[in-house]
Amino acid sequence: MSTRLHVVRAGSGAPIVFLHGMGTSAATWQRGMELLGDRFTVLAPDLLGHGASPIPDEPDEYTRDRTLVDLDDIIADLDARPVLVGHSLGGYLALAYAATRPEAVRGVVVLNTGPGYRDDAKREEWNARSRRNAHRFGVPEQVTTMNLQEDSVVMDRLADMATPTLVLAGGDDRPEYAGAGQYLERKMPDARLVVVEGGGHSMHEDSHAAEVADLIADFAAHLPG
């Protein structure tokens, strides 16, 4: 696989690529990959600066667009278009990938995430908060550049994003994620929101892992080729 990222791969069948959030790693998807590997080829990269992937010093290596190029390298090696599944930051990256490469994926599943901000002031408020909290993410400070938002490309393209999208929000997570899910369902041509009752922010890892995996499997199984 011609990518600089460390990638965990298992299973066989139609491909699913899992994207983790800030400060975690591919390991966050271990349970989901175990549950889905009997039906799908499952892949989970450690994003740059995370897990076993390299940790360059230059903050410019960690922009959203550079991260999407890293995903290009992974997807180019697949035999078929994948479903992208992303949690938190990984969910935003999955949406950004579908927004900028609309023919590259069969579908998108996002967990507890949002599409970013169209308003410049709100976007800068997000970025300022992310910079203040950089020390809490458990990765070198330059890596947290990946969490910053420089534009509103996802928001601007939602109405044209025909990629089938499943939006999962934890019922016990912060209500803003359910609100973001409602927004995506309303604005996107083919998006559906499911609220997982009792689910928290990392519901794909805890006692809700099987429910989340079943939702992903059912979604992927009914996508057009």
Side-chain angles (χ1 to χ4, degrees):
M1 183 173 293
S2 56
T3 175
R4 62 177 176 169
L5 302 183
H6 174 257
V7 181
V8 179
R9 179 173 180 152
S12 61
I16 298 177
V17 177
F18 294 90
L19 304 175
H20 64 78
M22 174 59 64
T24 62
S25 71
T28 191
W29 291 110
Q30 179 178 347
R31 182 59 179 146
M33 293 175 71
E34 290 171 351
L35 290 165
L36 293 169
D38 61 336
R39 289 160 284 176
F40 301 95
T41 297
V42 288
L43 302 91
D46 288 325
L47 297 177
L48 197 67
H50 295 77
S53 286
I55 310 175
D57 292 332
E58 302 80 8
D60 287 350
E61 290 287 336
Y62 300 94
T63 64
R64 177 201 63 210
D65 291 347
R66 186 66 186 87
T67 304
L68 298 185
V69 171
D70 284 334
L71 293 180
D72 285 337
D73 293 339
I74 295 169
I75 290 173
D77 280 342
L78 299 176
D79 294 331
R81 293 185 303 151
V83 174
L84 283 186
V85 179
H87 169 244
S88 198
L89 170 63
Y92 171 76
L93 293 172
L95 291 172
Y97 199 87
T100 57
R101 297 150 171 84
E103 302 301 323
V105 297
R106 292 176 60 226
V108 170
V109 182
V110 296
L111 288 74
N112 294 323
T113 194
Y117 302 92
R118 182 174 286 115
D119 182 85
D120 291 345
K122 289 183 178 179
R123 188 164 58 250
E124 185 47 44
E125 181 181 335
W126 166 271
N127 290 341
R129 185 165 64 249
S130 184
R131 292 186 185 100
R132 286 196 305 271
N133 292 329
H135 63 286
R136 299 180 179 177
F137 289 124
V139 292
E141 186 172 353
Q142 75 271 18
V143 179
T144 64
T145 302
M146 196 179 292
N147 209 44
L148 304 181
Q149 297 188 11
E150 299 178 1
D151 56 38
S152 55
V153 65
V154 176
M155 289 286 286
D156 293 342
R157 300 186 185 186
L158 283 180
D160 298 318
M161 288 174 61
T163 303
T165 301
L166 174 64
V167 184
L168 303 181
D172 285 356
D173 200 0
R174 289 182 292 181
E176 65 198 62
Y177 292 115
Q182 291 167 358
Y183 184 84
L184 292 171
E185 185 177 51
R186 187 168 67 250
K187 294 293 185 180
M188 297 178 72
D190 189 3
R192 178 171 64 97
L193 170 65
V194 175
V195 176
V196 177
E197 294 302 324
H201 191 61
S202 297
M203 58 189 180
H204 58 293
E205 290 187 284
D206 60 23
S207 59
H208 296 84
E211 182 178 358
V212 170
D214 285 345
L215 287 164
I216 294 170
D218 182 69
F219 172 78
H222 289 90
L223 288 173

